[in-house]
Amino acid sequence: MKRPRYFQNNSKNSLIEKYHLYKGEKLNWLQVTMRLERSIISNIIIWVFFCTAYGLLISLLYYLGLPIAFTNSSSIITNAVLSFNIGFTLLLVFRTNTAHDRFWEGRQLWGALVNTSRNLTRGIWIIVKEQTPQDRVEKEAILRLVTAFAVAMKLHLRSAPLDTQLASLMSEKQYLQLKDTNHPPLQIAYWIGDYLQDQHDRKYLNVYQLTTLHNCVDDLVDILGGCERILKTPLPLIYTIKLRQLLLIFCLILPLEIVSFLNWWTGLIMAFVSFTLLTIEQIGSEIEEPFGFDPNDLPLNAICNTISNNVEELIRLACNNVRPS
């Protein structure tokens, strides 16, 4: 019996399915949650313990009779704390929104990379003429260089060394040459452009076709430049410094404000509040540089695999004399 449509839609919206779509891995909900939280918790757990211990210390001092709590009659202090809380919250929201904008722009650029790679490979395969079997071999090699561009771009943004996946997409001579260059993605873009120019010189492309395909190569380089702009222009450090200063001040003041009402519960409340605020701040720090290896960063491996699968499917269909729709 066919399942109702709304059940299918709900299954696609589950946490497990979303993570599978995002990262390409099939995990249960607990594994997904722990993997996404691991990188954040490890960076804030010490500060959460510190805030909890500080809250317990304030509770102890209040229990011993020391006048450390803000009195109910001190309206000036209460209003000052309230104003501080509002300013601190607005800065935290600004920090998180700015980080998300950088993350989303990075995702848009990598989405554009997928589309441009499809257009370029499709154009090369359909437009460039073949006269000999060697022409077919060269064409397949160039298509794989488009995949190599994406992989090299991923490694470049991560400041990672060239890997075996990149080596499998080109000749040994090209790979050795790539290891000696300072900017592998640009070198690959040069090889693709040089191939197109050579096909034009051999009369396999007219000038209009050459211009169209060169525009696709230019788009690849523009996308690379956009990602480098995000990578090399971080959010001004003063925002991060000031936010952490205010976060520390807030965690130092809050126990003094609530201890007279909560007594020994102050430490537990401080653990909850500090964990929540530090988590939000750490999420902003993590996603503002979306090209790394953190679980919450962009799934660059999955995107590169998508481009590779598109290229290999195009080659396979063409070799079987089936024109892709």
Side-chain angles (χ1 to χ4, degrees), residues 4-51:
R5 192 175 188 83
Y6 57 85
F7 284 126
Q8 296 176 1
N9 291 338
N10 288 339
S11 66
K12 291 299 182 182
N13 289 330
S14 69
L15 177 63
I16 297 174
E17 291 297 332
K18 286 181 178 180
Y19 187 81
H20 177 64
L21 179 65
Y22 188 71
K23 289 288 189 178
E25 298 178 89
K26 196 73 172 180
L27 304 175
N28 62 49
W29 69 269
L30 181 60
Q31 291 173 319
V32 171
T33 302
M34 293 305 298
R35 178 167 296 188
L36 294 178
E37 292 280 359
R38 187 188 310 152
S39 61
I40 296 175
I41 293 177
S42 62
N43 291 323
I44 68 172
I45 191 65
I46 294 178
W47 289 103
V48 172
F49 284 145
F50 169 78
C51 292

Side-chain angles (χ1 to χ4, degrees), residues 43-324:
N43 291 323
I44 68 172
I45 191 65
I46 294 178
W47 289 103
V48 172
F49 284 145
F50 169 78
C51 292
T52 304
Y54 175 71
L56 292 174
L57 176 62
I58 295 298
S59 297
L60 176 61
L61 296 178
Y62 181 77
Y63 175 77
L64 295 177
L66 296 180
I68 58 175
F70 293 155
T71 61
N72 296 332
S73 60
S74 181
S75 59
I76 297 178
I77 296 179
T78 301
N79 291 335
V81 172
L82 180 61
S83 300
F84 173 83
N85 293 347
I86 294 174
F88 165 71
T89 303
L90 290 176
L91 183 59
L92 184 62
V93 170
F94 170 78
R95 173 75 167 78
T96 305
N97 287 345
T98 303
H100 180 267
D101 289 342
R102 291 166 57 85
F103 178 89
W104 182 241
E105 183 182 1
R107 183 61 184 92
Q108 288 179 311
L109 288 169
W110 275 86
L113 178 67
V114 174
N115 294 336
T116 303
S117 299
R118 289 169 176 169
N119 291 333
L120 179 58
T121 53
R122 176 176 53 84
I124 290 175
W125 193 266
I126 295 175
I127 296 174
V128 177
K129 301 176 183 178
E130 301 174 19
Q131 300 294 338
T132 65
Q134 182 62 28
D135 292 339
R136 168 65 67 92
V137 173
E138 291 180 0
K139 184 186 289 188
E140 292 180 1
I142 287 298
L143 294 189
R144 291 191 172 97
L145 280 184
V146 177
T147 302
F149 177 89
V151 175
M153 176 173 157
K154 174 191 69 175
L155 298 175
H156 172 71
L157 294 174
R158 291 176 169 178
S159 298
L162 305 185
D163 57 12
T164 55
Q165 181 185 12
L166 193 60
S168 66
L169 296 169
M170 60 187 65
S171 66
E172 183 179 357
K173 179 180 178 181
Q174 288 174 322
Y175 182 71
L176 292 176
Q177 183 177 348
L178 212 59
K179 294 179 69 173
D180 293 331
T181 187
N182 294 324
H183 207 303
L186 280 184
Q187 181 62 48
I188 295 174
Y190 168 79
W191 287 335
I192 298 173
D194 186 59
Y195 168 81
L196 297 176
Q197 189 63 48
D198 181 63
Q199 299 308 302
H200 172 68
D201 295 341
R202 297 171 63 186
K203 309 302 182 183
Y204 291 173
L205 285 175
N206 62 47
V207 65
Y208 302 106
Q209 294 168 334
L210 177 66
T211 301
T212 299
L213 295 177
H214 266 311
N215 286 338
C216 288
V217 178
D218 291 342
D219 289 341
L220 292 179
V221 177
D222 290 341
I223 291 168
L224 170 62
C227 291
E228 288 180 329
R229 172 173 49 80
I230 296 174
L231 180 67
K232 297 181 180 180
T233 312
L235 189 69
L237 294 178
I238 188 61
Y239 284 110
T240 302
I241 294 173
K242 184 57 63 177
L243 180 60
R244 293 182 178 179
Q245 288 176 347
L246 295 178
L247 181 58
L248 177 61
I249 295 173
F250 177 80
C251 291
L252 292 177
I253 292 177
L254 183 60
L256 304 179
E257 188 176 3
I258 65 176
V259 68
S260 59
F261 302 100
L262 300 178
N263 296 326
W264 290 106
W265 289 95
T266 302
L268 181 62
I269 296 301
M270 283 303 302
F272 174 76
V273 172
S274 62
F275 178 81
T276 302
L277 295 178
L278 288 169
T279 297
I280 296 174
E281 195 278 332
Q282 186 61 35
I283 289 174
S285 298
E286 188 167 304
I287 68 175
E288 74 172 353
E289 297 181 2
F291 308 123
F293 297 94
D294 294 323
N296 296 292
D297 288 333
L298 290 172
L300 301 188
N301 292 337
I303 297 175
C304 288
N305 290 337
T306 297
I307 296 175
S308 177
N309 293 336
N310 293 156
V311 171
E312 295 302 325
E313 184 176 14
L314 176 63
I315 295 174
R316 178 177 57 82
L317 291 176
C319 290
N320 293 333
N321 295 321
V322 177
R323 184 176 292 275

